[in-house]
Amino acid sequence: MLGHKTTVNRCQHPRYRWRVSFRSNGQLKSKYFRVKREAEAWADQKQNENERFGAGEELAADARL
């Protein structure tokens, strides 16, 4: 997607240390992780989904075939 990148940042949260910011349904959303490696893996997966299917609307996993 042009201009919409999934990012991993350190955050100030009582239980989580890492935040992934991403676009979904045209809105900026966040998902939190305790381990950086898990956050990066999830961010890579989400970025690939957004590039392949777009971030404009959510598709069920069976509809992405």
Side-chain angles (χ1 to χ4, degrees), residues 47-62:
Q47 182 69 31
N48 288 338
E49 283 181 16
N50 286 346
E51 289 173 357
R52 291 182 67 204
F53 304 110
E57 64 182 53
E58 292 291 323
L59 295 175
D62 57 344

Side-chain angles (χ1 to χ4, degrees), residues 33-46:
F33 296 87
R34 292 184 179 160
V35 180
K36 183 178 182 181
R37 182 176 48 233
E38 291 175 4
E40 290 173 338
W42 192 89
D44 288 341
Q45 179 183 359
K46 189 65 173 176

